[in-house]
Amino acid sequence: GRTLASGRFRLGGTLARNAQPASSVPAYPAIKRFVQESLGCTCPEEVFERIDHRRHRVGDVAGVQRIDVGRRLLVYLVETDDPAWLQRHLAELVRAGVADRDAQGMNRFRLVIASTRPDLVAAGAHALFHELAGGDAKVHLHLVAQDALDDL
């Protein structure tokens, strides 16, 4: 398939462990490192043999990064420094991610919000997220510093 570069983030298809990435495909080690170190994923090594990373539209939200790790972990990644924007779109992102996870038969969904001010964006986000997750222990919210995405 064709790959496209878009700004800082790259669009691409499936990238297996031993594949030689084209310059526009995200490097497998960078995604694995982000998922393990920034998100705390303790998935077994074989889960990382298949990673699919692409841009995804969720309702009114364009440019969501959708990362499928081994058909077991689904990550949606969005960037914002605007707490009001997050309050408006959080429900849409959570519902879509859970539905996507369930439709694909995956184990977990992690919504990642990257920001230059994660402390500011976090205000109220966690309480709303827990209400939206409805006790689903396999749905997680992560607020990370923008620089955690530097290698993606």
Side-chain angles (χ1 to χ4, degrees):
R2 198 172 87 162
T3 58
L4 305 169
S6 176
R8 212 169 81 129
F9 299 101
R10 296 164 208 108
L11 305 176
T14 300
L15 183 60
R17 174 191 307 247
N18 297 320
Q20 292 297 322
S23 61
S24 61
V25 176
Y28 160 83
I31 293 173
K32 179 182 178 190
R33 188 171 38 257
F34 174 75
V35 169
Q36 289 180 321
E37 294 175 11
S38 296
L39 305 185
C41 178
T42 58
C43 294
E45 193 64 29
E46 64 268 11
V47 170
F48 294 98
E49 291 176 3
R50 182 188 175 282
I51 293 174
D52 185 67
H53 179 213
R54 62 187 66 207
R55 291 281 183 168
H56 186 66
R57 182 175 194 88
V58 175
D60 292 334
V61 183
V64 175
Q65 290 190 64
R66 182 186 186 276
I67 304 171
D68 167 352
V69 181
R71 309 282 302 148
R72 288 168 82 185
L73 170 64
L74 177 62
V75 177
Y76 280 7
L77 177 82
V78 296
E79 298 176 63
T80 187
D81 286 331
D82 182 354
W85 181 92
L86 185 56
Q87 292 292 318
R88 281 192 312 276
H89 296 288
L90 190 61
E92 181 175 37
L93 291 163
V94 171
R95 282 190 211 106
V98 169
D100 191 359
R101 174 202 69 184
D102 293 347
Q104 301 300 318
M106 294 181 180
N107 189 39
R108 291 195 185 276
F109 168 62
R110 296 179 185 262
L111 175 59
V112 179
I113 310 299
S115 175
T116 59
R117 294 285 317 273
D119 54 331
L120 176 68
V121 174
H126 284 290
L128 179 57
F129 175 81
H130 288 294
E131 181 181 318
L132 293 166
D136 186 337
K138 295 186 177 194
V139 177
H140 308 276
L141 175 66
H142 299 271
L143 289 127
V144 301
Q146 186 75 36
D147 62 6
L149 308 181
D150 285 350
D151 292 336
L152 295 186

